[in-house]
mmCIF file with all atom_site columns, all heavy atoms in Angstrom:
data_model
loop_
_atom_site.group_PDB
_atom_site.id
_atom_site.type_symbol
_atom_site.label_atom_id
_atom_site.label_alt_id
_atom_site.label_comp_id
_atom_site.label_asym_id
_atom_site.label_entity_id
_atom_site.label_seq_id
_atom_site.pdbx_PDB_ins_code
_atom_site.Cartn_x
_atom_site.Cartn_y
_atom_site.Cartn_z
_atom_site.occupancy
_atom_site.B_iso_or_equiv
_atom_site.pdbx_formal_charge
_atom_site.auth_seq_id
_atom_site.auth_comp_id
_atom_site.auth_asym_id
_atom_site.auth_atom_id
_atom_site.pdbx_PDB_model_num
ATOM 1   N N   . GLN A 1 1  ? 8.143  -10.537 1.049   1.00 0.00 ? 1  GLN A N   1
ATOM 2   C CA  . GLN A 1 1  ? 8.345  -9.093  1.091   1.00 0.00 ? 1  GLN A CA  1
ATOM 3   C C   . GLN A 1 1  ? 7.874  -8.487  -0.217  1.00 0.00 ? 1  GLN A C   1
ATOM 4   O O   . GLN A 1 1  ? 8.102  -9.036  -1.289  1.00 0.00 ? 1  GLN A O   1
ATOM 5   C CB  . GLN A 1 1  ? 9.830  -8.796  1.304   1.00 0.00 ? 1  GLN A CB  1
ATOM 6   C CG  . GLN A 1 1  ? 10.156 -7.323  1.351   1.00 0.00 ? 1  GLN A CG  1
ATOM 7   C CD  . GLN A 1 1  ? 11.607 -7.078  1.714   1.00 0.00 ? 1  GLN A CD  1
ATOM 8   O OE1 . GLN A 1 1  ? 12.073 -7.595  2.703   1.00 0.00 ? 1  GLN A OE1 1
ATOM 9   N NE2 . GLN A 1 1  ? 12.306 -6.300  0.900   1.00 0.00 ? 1  GLN A NE2 1
ATOM 10  N N   . LEU A 1 2  ? 7.218  -7.342  -0.114  1.00 0.00 ? 2  LEU A N   1
ATOM 11  C CA  . LEU A 1 2  ? 6.763  -6.606  -1.280  1.00 0.00 ? 2  LEU A CA  1
ATOM 12  C C   . LEU A 1 2  ? 7.401  -5.224  -1.240  1.00 0.00 ? 2  LEU A C   1
ATOM 13  O O   . LEU A 1 2  ? 7.397  -4.571  -0.197  1.00 0.00 ? 2  LEU A O   1
ATOM 14  C CB  . LEU A 1 2  ? 5.237  -6.458  -1.259  1.00 0.00 ? 2  LEU A CB  1
ATOM 15  C CG  . LEU A 1 2  ? 4.653  -5.511  -2.298  1.00 0.00 ? 2  LEU A CG  1
ATOM 16  C CD1 . LEU A 1 2  ? 4.639  -6.168  -3.662  1.00 0.00 ? 2  LEU A CD1 1
ATOM 17  C CD2 . LEU A 1 2  ? 3.267  -5.066  -1.902  1.00 0.00 ? 2  LEU A CD2 1
ATOM 18  N N   . ALA A 1 3  ? 7.936  -4.776  -2.342  1.00 0.00 ? 3  ALA A N   1
ATOM 19  C CA  . ALA A 1 3  ? 8.474  -3.413  -2.444  1.00 0.00 ? 3  ALA A CA  1
ATOM 20  C C   . ALA A 1 3  ? 7.341  -2.519  -2.931  1.00 0.00 ? 3  ALA A C   1
ATOM 21  O O   . ALA A 1 3  ? 7.025  -2.479  -4.116  1.00 0.00 ? 3  ALA A O   1
ATOM 22  C CB  . ALA A 1 3  ? 9.653  -3.379  -3.397  1.00 0.00 ? 3  ALA A CB  1
ATOM 23  N N   . PHE A 1 4  ? 6.708  -1.804  -1.986  1.00 0.00 ? 4  PHE A N   1
ATOM 24  C CA  . PHE A 1 4  ? 5.598  -0.915  -2.322  1.00 0.00 ? 4  PHE A CA  1
ATOM 25  C C   . PHE A 1 4  ? 6.156  0.354   -2.944  1.00 0.00 ? 4  PHE A C   1
ATOM 26  O O   . PHE A 1 4  ? 7.013  1.026   -2.377  1.00 0.00 ? 4  PHE A O   1
ATOM 27  C CB  . PHE A 1 4  ? 4.774  -0.591  -1.082  1.00 0.00 ? 4  PHE A CB  1
ATOM 28  C CG  . PHE A 1 4  ? 3.698  0.416   -1.312  1.00 0.00 ? 4  PHE A CG  1
ATOM 29  C CD1 . PHE A 1 4  ? 2.715  0.196   -2.265  1.00 0.00 ? 4  PHE A CD1 1
ATOM 30  C CD2 . PHE A 1 4  ? 3.653  1.586   -0.573  1.00 0.00 ? 4  PHE A CD2 1
ATOM 31  C CE1 . PHE A 1 4  ? 1.718  1.130   -2.484  1.00 0.00 ? 4  PHE A CE1 1
ATOM 32  C CE2 . PHE A 1 4  ? 2.660  2.528   -0.783  1.00 0.00 ? 4  PHE A CE2 1
ATOM 33  C CZ  . PHE A 1 4  ? 1.692  2.298   -1.738  1.00 0.00 ? 4  PHE A CZ  1
ATOM 34  N N   . ASP A 1 5  ? 5.635  0.710   -4.122  1.00 0.00 ? 5  ASP A N   1
ATOM 35  C CA  . ASP A 1 5  ? 6.158  1.834   -4.894  1.00 0.00 ? 5  ASP A CA  1
ATOM 36  C C   . ASP A 1 5  ? 5.569  3.201   -4.525  1.00 0.00 ? 5  ASP A C   1
ATOM 37  O O   . ASP A 1 5  ? 5.939  4.215   -5.105  1.00 0.00 ? 5  ASP A O   1
ATOM 38  C CB  . ASP A 1 5  ? 5.939  1.577   -6.384  1.00 0.00 ? 5  ASP A CB  1
ATOM 39  C CG  . ASP A 1 5  ? 4.470  1.367   -6.745  1.00 0.00 ? 5  ASP A CG  1
ATOM 40  O OD1 . ASP A 1 5  ? 3.590  1.555   -5.874  1.00 0.00 ? 5  ASP A OD1 1
ATOM 41  O OD2 . ASP A 1 5  ? 4.207  0.999   -7.898  1.00 0.00 ? 5  ASP A OD2 1
ATOM 42  N N   . GLY A 1 6  ? 4.634  3.226   -3.564  1.00 0.00 ? 6  GLY A N   1
ATOM 43  C CA  . GLY A 1 6  ? 4.065  4.505   -3.141  1.00 0.00 ? 6  GLY A CA  1
ATOM 44  C C   . GLY A 1 6  ? 2.959  5.023   -4.024  1.00 0.00 ? 6  GLY A C   1
ATOM 45  O O   . GLY A 1 6  ? 2.537  6.170   -3.895  1.00 0.00 ? 6  GLY A O   1
ATOM 46  N N   . ILE A 1 7  ? 2.468  4.181   -4.934  1.00 0.00 ? 7  ILE A N   1
ATOM 47  C CA  . ILE A 1 7  ? 1.400  4.581   -5.862  1.00 0.00 ? 7  ILE A CA  1
ATOM 48  C C   . ILE A 1 7  ? 0.061  4.046   -5.346  1.00 0.00 ? 7  ILE A C   1
ATOM 49  O O   . ILE A 1 7  ? -0.049 2.884   -4.975  1.00 0.00 ? 7  ILE A O   1
ATOM 50  C CB  . ILE A 1 7  ? 1.676  4.045   -7.284  1.00 0.00 ? 7  ILE A CB  1
ATOM 51  C CG1 . ILE A 1 7  ? 3.048  4.499   -7.789  1.00 0.00 ? 7  ILE A CG1 1
ATOM 52  C CG2 . ILE A 1 7  ? 0.564  4.446   -8.242  1.00 0.00 ? 7  ILE A CG2 1
ATOM 53  C CD1 . ILE A 1 7  ? 3.196  5.999   -7.920  1.00 0.00 ? 7  ILE A CD1 1
ATOM 54  N N   . GLY A 1 8  ? -0.966 4.895   -5.350  1.00 0.00 ? 8  GLY A N   1
ATOM 55  C CA  . GLY A 1 8  ? -2.301 4.496   -4.925  1.00 0.00 ? 8  GLY A CA  1
ATOM 56  C C   . GLY A 1 8  ? -3.070 3.815   -6.038  1.00 0.00 ? 8  GLY A C   1
ATOM 57  O O   . GLY A 1 8  ? -2.602 3.719   -7.184  1.00 0.00 ? 8  GLY A O   1
ATOM 58  N N   . ASP A 1 9  ? -4.273 3.331   -5.706  1.00 0.00 ? 9  ASP A N   1
ATOM 59  C CA  . ASP A 1 9  ? -5.125 2.680   -6.712  1.00 0.00 ? 9  ASP A CA  1
ATOM 60  C C   . ASP A 1 9  ? -5.472 3.617   -7.864  1.00 0.00 ? 9  ASP A C   1
ATOM 61  O O   . ASP A 1 9  ? -5.755 3.167   -8.970  1.00 0.00 ? 9  ASP A O   1
ATOM 62  C CB  . ASP A 1 9  ? -6.425 2.171   -6.066  1.00 0.00 ? 9  ASP A CB  1
ATOM 63  C CG  . ASP A 1 9  ? -6.237 0.847   -5.342  1.00 0.00 ? 9  ASP A CG  1
ATOM 64  O OD1 . ASP A 1 9  ? -5.319 0.079   -5.706  1.00 0.00 ? 9  ASP A OD1 1
ATOM 65  O OD2 . ASP A 1 9  ? -7.016 0.575   -4.402  1.00 0.00 ? 9  ASP A OD2 1
ATOM 66  N N   . ASP A 1 10 ? -5.433 4.932   -7.620  1.00 0.00 ? 10 ASP A N   1
ATOM 67  C CA  . ASP A 1 10 ? -5.762 5.892   -8.668  1.00 0.00 ? 10 ASP A CA  1
ATOM 68  C C   . ASP A 1 10 ? -4.579 6.174   -9.600  1.00 0.00 ? 10 ASP A C   1
ATOM 69  O O   . ASP A 1 10 ? -4.682 6.987   -10.525 1.00 0.00 ? 10 ASP A O   1
ATOM 70  C CB  . ASP A 1 10 ? -6.280 7.196   -8.054  1.00 0.00 ? 10 ASP A CB  1
ATOM 71  C CG  . ASP A 1 10 ? -5.261 7.872   -7.138  1.00 0.00 ? 10 ASP A CG  1
ATOM 72  O OD1 . ASP A 1 10 ? -4.113 7.383   -7.009  1.00 0.00 ? 10 ASP A OD1 1
ATOM 73  O OD2 . ASP A 1 10 ? -5.630 8.890   -6.528  1.00 0.00 ? 10 ASP A OD2 1
ATOM 74  N N   . GLY A 1 11 ? -3.433 5.517   -9.370  1.00 0.00 ? 11 GLY A N   1
ATOM 75  C CA  . GLY A 1 11 ? -2.266 5.698   -10.233 1.00 0.00 ? 11 GLY A CA  1
ATOM 76  C C   . GLY A 1 11 ? -1.385 6.878   -9.862  1.00 0.00 ? 11 GLY A C   1
ATOM 77  O O   . GLY A 1 11 ? -0.380 7.133   -10.520 1.00 0.00 ? 11 GLY A O   1
ATOM 78  N N   . ARG A 1 12 ? -1.747 7.600   -8.798  1.00 0.00 ? 12 ARG A N   1
ATOM 79  C CA  . ARG A 1 12 ? -0.952 8.754   -8.375  1.00 0.00 ? 12 ARG A CA  1
ATOM 80  C C   . ARG A 1 12 ? -0.199 8.431   -7.087  1.00 0.00 ? 12 ARG A C   1
ATOM 81  O O   . ARG A 1 12 ? -0.657 7.590   -6.298  1.00 0.00 ? 12 ARG A O   1
ATOM 82  C CB  . ARG A 1 12 ? -1.857 9.964   -8.142  1.00 0.00 ? 12 ARG A CB  1
ATOM 83  C CG  . ARG A 1 12 ? -2.547 10.403  -9.428  1.00 0.00 ? 12 ARG A CG  1
ATOM 84  C CD  . ARG A 1 12 ? -3.330 11.652  -9.228  1.00 0.00 ? 12 ARG A CD  1
ATOM 85  N NE  . ARG A 1 12 ? -4.243 11.505  -8.086  1.00 0.00 ? 12 ARG A NE  1
ATOM 86  C CZ  . ARG A 1 12 ? -5.251 12.299  -7.829  1.00 0.00 ? 12 ARG A CZ  1
ATOM 87  N NH1 . ARG A 1 12 ? -5.510 13.308  -8.620  1.00 0.00 ? 12 ARG A NH1 1
ATOM 88  N NH2 . ARG A 1 12 ? -6.030 12.105  -6.787  1.00 0.00 ? 12 ARG A NH2 1
ATOM 89  N N   . PRO A 1 13 ? 0.925  9.091   -6.851  1.00 0.00 ? 13 PRO A N   1
ATOM 90  C CA  . PRO A 1 13 ? 1.658  8.872   -5.597  1.00 0.00 ? 13 PRO A CA  1
ATOM 91  C C   . PRO A 1 13 ? 0.803  9.256   -4.389  1.00 0.00 ? 13 PRO A C   1
ATOM 92  O O   . PRO A 1 13 ? 0.088  10.256  -4.428  1.00 0.00 ? 13 PRO A O   1
ATOM 93  C CB  . PRO A 1 13 ? 2.874  9.797   -5.711  1.00 0.00 ? 13 PRO A CB  1
ATOM 94  C CG  . PRO A 1 13 ? 3.018  10.070  -7.172  1.00 0.00 ? 13 PRO A CG  1
ATOM 95  C CD  . PRO A 1 13 ? 1.635  10.017  -7.742  1.00 0.00 ? 13 PRO A CD  1
ATOM 96  N N   . ILE A 1 14 ? 0.863  8.442   -3.350  1.00 0.00 ? 14 ILE A N   1
ATOM 97  C CA  . ILE A 1 14 ? 0.129  8.771   -2.137  1.00 0.00 ? 14 ILE A CA  1
ATOM 98  C C   . ILE A 1 14 ? 0.930  9.797   -1.335  1.00 0.00 ? 14 ILE A C   1
ATOM 99  O O   . ILE A 1 14 ? 2.157  9.845   -1.442  1.00 0.00 ? 14 ILE A O   1
ATOM 100 C CB  . ILE A 1 14 ? -0.173 7.515   -1.285  1.00 0.00 ? 14 ILE A CB  1
ATOM 101 C CG1 . ILE A 1 14 ? 1.122  6.847   -0.797  1.00 0.00 ? 14 ILE A CG1 1
ATOM 102 C CG2 . ILE A 1 14 ? -1.020 6.529   -2.058  1.00 0.00 ? 14 ILE A CG2 1
ATOM 103 C CD1 . ILE A 1 14 ? 0.880  5.699   0.179   1.00 0.00 ? 14 ILE A CD1 1
ATOM 104 N N   . PRO A 1 15 ? 0.249  10.644  -0.573  1.00 0.00 ? 15 PRO A N   1
ATOM 105 C CA  . PRO A 1 15 ? 0.973  11.641  0.224   1.00 0.00 ? 15 PRO A CA  1
ATOM 106 C C   . PRO A 1 15 ? 1.861  10.965  1.270   1.00 0.00 ? 15 PRO A C   1
ATOM 107 O O   . PRO A 1 15 ? 1.546  9.871   1.751   1.00 0.00 ? 15 PRO A O   1
ATOM 108 C CB  . PRO A 1 15 ? -0.141 12.432  0.911   1.00 0.00 ? 15 PRO A CB  1
ATOM 109 C CG  . PRO A 1 15 ? -1.387 12.107  0.181   1.00 0.00 ? 15 PRO A CG  1
ATOM 110 C CD  . PRO A 1 15 ? -1.195 10.775  -0.443  1.00 0.00 ? 15 PRO A CD  1
ATOM 111 N N   . GLY A 1 16 ? 2.953  11.603  1.619   1.00 0.00 ? 16 GLY A N   1
ATOM 112 C CA  . GLY A 1 16 ? 3.808  11.084  2.667   1.00 0.00 ? 16 GLY A CA  1
ATOM 113 C C   . GLY A 1 16 ? 3.051  11.010  3.980   1.00 0.00 ? 16 GLY A C   1
ATOM 114 O O   . GLY A 1 16 ? 2.142  11.793  4.228   1.00 0.00 ? 16 GLY A O   1
ATOM 115 N N   . GLY A 1 17 ? 3.409  10.051  4.816   1.00 0.00 ? 17 GLY A N   1
ATOM 116 C CA  . GLY A 1 17 ? 2.754  9.892   6.110   1.00 0.00 ? 17 GLY A CA  1
ATOM 117 C C   . GLY A 1 17 ? 2.710  8.436   6.510   1.00 0.00 ? 17 GLY A C   1
ATOM 118 O O   . GLY A 1 17 ? 3.322  7.564   5.882   1.00 0.00 ? 17 GLY A O   1
ATOM 119 N N   . ARG A 1 18 ? 1.941  8.171   7.556   1.00 0.00 ? 18 ARG A N   1
ATOM 120 C CA  . ARG A 1 18 ? 1.802  6.809   8.072   1.00 0.00 ? 18 ARG A CA  1
ATOM 121 C C   . ARG A 1 18 ? 0.603  6.115   7.449   1.00 0.00 ? 18 ARG A C   1
ATOM 122 O O   . ARG A 1 18 ? -0.464 6.713   7.303   1.00 0.00 ? 18 ARG A O   1
ATOM 123 C CB  . ARG A 1 18 ? 1.644  6.823   9.583   1.00 0.00 ? 18 ARG A CB  1
ATOM 124 C CG  . ARG A 1 18 ? 2.925  7.162   10.306  1.00 0.00 ? 18 ARG A CG  1
ATOM 125 C CD  . ARG A 1 18 ? 2.735  7.033   11.786  1.00 0.00 ? 18 ARG A CD  1
ATOM 126 N NE  . ARG A 1 18 ? 4.019  7.172   12.451  1.00 0.00 ? 18 ARG A NE  1
ATOM 127 C CZ  . ARG A 1 18 ? 4.172  7.203   13.745  1.00 0.00 ? 18 ARG A CZ  1
ATOM 128 N NH1 . ARG A 1 18 ? 3.129  7.103   14.537  1.00 0.00 ? 18 ARG A NH1 1
ATOM 129 N NH2 . ARG A 1 18 ? 5.370  7.333   14.273  1.00 0.00 ? 18 ARG A NH2 1
ATOM 130 N N   . TYR A 1 19 ? 0.809  4.821   7.144   1.00 0.00 ? 19 TYR A N   1
ATOM 131 C CA  . TYR A 1 19 ? -0.227 3.977   6.570   1.00 0.00 ? 19 TYR A CA  1
ATOM 132 C C   . TYR A 1 19 ? -0.183 2.615   7.247   1.00 0.00 ? 19 TYR A C   1
ATOM 133 O O   . TYR A 1 19 ? 0.827  2.233   7.836   1.00 0.00 ? 19 TYR A O   1
ATOM 134 C CB  . TYR A 1 19 ? -0.024 3.815   5.054   1.00 0.00 ? 19 TYR A CB  1
ATOM 135 C CG  . TYR A 1 19 ? -0.216 5.105   4.302   1.00 0.00 ? 19 TYR A CG  1
ATOM 136 C CD1 . TYR A 1 19 ? 0.840  6.000   4.140   1.00 0.00 ? 19 TYR A CD1 1
ATOM 137 C CD2 . TYR A 1 19 ? -1.456 5.448   3.783   1.00 0.00 ? 19 TYR A CD2 1
ATOM 138 C CE1 . TYR A 1 19 ? 0.655  7.201   3.471   1.00 0.00 ? 19 TYR A CE1 1
ATOM 139 C CE2 . TYR A 1 19 ? -1.645 6.646   3.116   1.00 0.00 ? 19 TYR A CE2 1
ATOM 140 C CZ  . TYR A 1 19 ? -0.585 7.513   2.964   1.00 0.00 ? 19 TYR A CZ  1
ATOM 141 O OH  . TYR A 1 19 ? -0.763 8.707   2.309   1.00 0.00 ? 19 TYR A OH  1
ATOM 142 N N   . LEU A 1 20 ? -1.275 1.882   7.129   1.00 0.00 ? 20 LEU A N   1
ATOM 143 C CA  . LEU A 1 20 ? -1.385 0.535   7.675   1.00 0.00 ? 20 LEU A CA  1
ATOM 144 C C   . LEU A 1 20 ? -1.500 -0.439  6.527   1.00 0.00 ? 20 LEU A C   1
ATOM 145 O O   . LEU A 1 20 ? -2.216 -0.179  5.561   1.00 0.00 ? 20 LEU A O   1
ATOM 146 C CB  . LEU A 1 20 ? -2.640 0.433   8.554   1.00 0.00 ? 20 LEU A CB  1
ATOM 147 C CG  . LEU A 1 20 ? -2.960 -0.948  9.110   1.00 0.00 ? 20 LEU A CG  1
ATOM 148 C CD1 . LEU A 1 20 ? -2.153 -1.200  10.382  1.00 0.00 ? 20 LEU A CD1 1
ATOM 149 C CD2 . LEU A 1 20 ? -4.440 -1.069  9.422   1.00 0.00 ? 20 LEU A CD2 1
ATOM 150 N N   . TYR A 1 21 ? -0.779 -1.555  6.607   1.00 0.00 ? 21 TYR A N   1
ATOM 151 C CA  . TYR A 1 21 ? -0.990 -2.597  5.604   1.00 0.00 ? 21 TYR A CA  1
ATOM 152 C C   . TYR A 1 21 ? -1.388 -3.898  6.270   1.00 0.00 ? 21 TYR A C   1
ATOM 153 O O   . TYR A 1 21 ? -0.967 -4.205  7.374   1.00 0.00 ? 21 TYR A O   1
ATOM 154 C CB  . TYR A 1 21 ? 0.231  -2.782  4.696   1.00 0.00 ? 21 TYR A CB  1
ATOM 155 C CG  . TYR A 1 21 ? 1.425  -3.479  5.296   1.00 0.00 ? 21 TYR A CG  1
ATOM 156 C CD1 . TYR A 1 21 ? 1.634  -4.845  5.102   1.00 0.00 ? 21 TYR A CD1 1
ATOM 157 C CD2 . TYR A 1 21 ? 2.371  -2.778  6.032   1.00 0.00 ? 21 TYR A CD2 1
ATOM 158 C CE1 . TYR A 1 21 ? 2.746  -5.478  5.634   1.00 0.00 ? 21 TYR A CE1 1
ATOM 159 C CE2 . TYR A 1 21 ? 3.480  -3.394  6.559   1.00 0.00 ? 21 TYR A CE2 1
ATOM 160 C CZ  . TYR A 1 21 ? 3.662  -4.753  6.362   1.00 0.00 ? 21 TYR A CZ  1
ATOM 161 O OH  . TYR A 1 21 ? 4.760  -5.375  6.895   1.00 0.00 ? 21 TYR A OH  1
ATOM 162 N N   . LYS A 1 22 ? -2.270 -4.649  5.581   1.00 0.00 ? 22 LYS A N   1
ATOM 163 C CA  . LYS A 1 22 ? -2.772 -5.949  6.020   1.00 0.00 ? 22 LYS A CA  1
ATOM 164 C C   . LYS A 1 22 ? -2.701 -6.903  4.835   1.00 0.00 ? 22 LYS A C   1
ATOM 165 O O   . LYS A 1 22 ? -2.735 -6.476  3.683   1.00 0.00 ? 22 LYS A O   1
ATOM 166 C CB  . LYS A 1 22 ? -4.235 -5.863  6.454   1.00 0.00 ? 22 LYS A CB  1
ATOM 167 C CG  . LYS A 1 22 ? -4.490 -5.014  7.668   1.00 0.00 ? 22 LYS A CG  1
ATOM 168 C CD  . LYS A 1 22 ? -5.971 -5.010  7.999   1.00 0.00 ? 22 LYS A CD  1
ATOM 169 C CE  . LYS A 1 22 ? -6.262 -4.195  9.228   1.00 0.00 ? 22 LYS A CE  1
ATOM 170 N NZ  . LYS A 1 22 ? -7.677 -4.228  9.587   1.00 0.00 ? 22 LYS A NZ  1
ATOM 171 N N   . VAL A 1 23 ? -2.633 -8.193  5.143   1.00 0.00 ? 23 VAL A N   1
ATOM 172 C CA  . VAL A 1 23 ? -2.565 -9.206  4.100   1.00 0.00 ? 23 VAL A CA  1
ATOM 173 C C   . VAL A 1 23 ? -3.744 -10.165 4.249   1.00 0.00 ? 23 VAL A C   1
ATOM 174 O O   . VAL A 1 23 ? -4.065 -10.594 5.358   1.00 0.00 ? 23 VAL A O   1
ATOM 175 C CB  . VAL A 1 23 ? -1.232 -9.985  4.175   1.00 0.00 ? 23 VAL A CB  1
ATOM 176 C CG1 . VAL A 1 23 ? -1.205 -11.113 3.163   1.00 0.00 ? 23 VAL A CG1 1
ATOM 177 C CG2 . VAL A 1 23 ? -0.062 -9.033  3.956   1.00 0.00 ? 23 VAL A CG2 1
ATOM 178 N N   . ALA A 1 24 ? -4.395 -10.475 3.133   1.00 0.00 ? 24 ALA A N   1
ATOM 179 C CA  . ALA A 1 24 ? -5.466 -11.463 3.102   1.00 0.00 ? 24 ALA A CA  1
ATOM 180 C C   . ALA A 1 24 ? -5.020 -12.614 2.207   1.00 0.00 ? 24 ALA A C   1
ATOM 181 O O   . ALA A 1 24 ? -4.434 -12.386 1.149   1.00 0.00 ? 24 ALA A O   1
ATOM 182 C CB  . ALA A 1 24 ? -6.754 -10.839 2.567   1.00 0.00 ? 24 ALA A CB  1
ATOM 183 N N   . ALA A 1 25 ? -5.289 -13.832 2.645   1.00 0.00 ? 25 ALA A N   1
ATOM 184 C CA  . ALA A 1 25 ? -4.908 -15.010 1.859   1.00 0.00 ? 25 ALA A CA  1
ATOM 185 C C   . ALA A 1 25 ? -6.012 -16.048 1.952   1.00 0.00 ? 25 ALA A C   1
ATOM 186 O O   . ALA A 1 25 ? -6.655 -16.200 2.990   1.00 0.00 ? 25 ALA A O   1
ATOM 187 C CB  . ALA A 1 25 ? -3.593 -15.584 2.391   1.00 0.00 ? 25 ALA A CB  1
ATOM 188 N N   . THR A 1 26 ? -6.239 -16.752 0.841   1.00 0.00 ? 26 THR A N   1
ATOM 189 C CA  . THR A 1 26 ? -7.216 -17.839 0.823   1.00 0.00 ? 26 THR A CA  1
ATOM 190 C C   . THR A 1 26 ? -6.546 -19.115 0.340   1.00 0.00 ? 26 THR A C   1
ATOM 191 O O   . THR A 1 26 ? -5.598 -19.078 -0.455  1.00 0.00 ? 26 THR A O   1
ATOM 192 C CB  . THR A 1 26 ? -8.412 -17.519 -0.096  1.00 0.00 ? 26 THR A CB  1
ATOM 193 O OG1 . THR A 1 26 ? -7.929 -17.224 -1.406  1.00 0.00 ? 26 THR A OG1 1
ATOM 194 C CG2 . THR A 1 26 ? -9.194 -16.326 0.422   1.00 0.00 ? 26 THR A CG2 1
ATOM 195 N N   . ASP A 1 27 ? -7.049 -20.238 0.834   1.00 0.00 ? 27 ASP A N   1
ATOM 196 C CA  . ASP A 1 27 ? -6.515 -21.536 0.419   1.00 0.00 ? 27 ASP A CA  1
ATOM 197 C C   . ASP A 1 27 ? -7.202 -21.975 -0.874  1.00 0.00 ? 27 ASP A C   1
ATOM 198 O O   . ASP A 1 27 ? -8.095 -21.281 -1.370  1.00 0.00 ? 27 ASP A O   1
ATOM 199 C CB  . ASP A 1 27 ? -6.659 -22.563 1.543   1.00 0.00 ? 27 ASP A CB  1
ATOM 200 C CG  . ASP A 1 27 ? -8.111 -22.874 1.908   1.00 0.00 ? 27 ASP A CG  1
ATOM 201 O OD1 . ASP A 1 27 ? -9.032 -22.564 1.117   1.00 0.00 ? 27 ASP A OD1 1
ATOM 202 O OD2 . ASP A 1 27 ? -8.326 -23.434 2.987   1.00 0.00 ? 27 ASP A OD2 1
#
């Protein structure tokens, strides 16, 4: 589990709304 803080890659809070998350993993 990850506690996402609501901050985007630009360092600013992302607007409220729906988002999709995906996970990538390599061996």
Side-chain angles (χ1 to χ4, degrees):
Q1 179 174 308
L2 170 77
F4 174 58
D5 58 7
I7 304 298
D9 280 334
D10 60 3
R12 297 185 307 195
I14 63 173
R18 287 185 172 175
Y19 294 86
L20 175 83
Y21 74 97
K22 295 180 179 182
V23 175
T26 56
D27 64 17

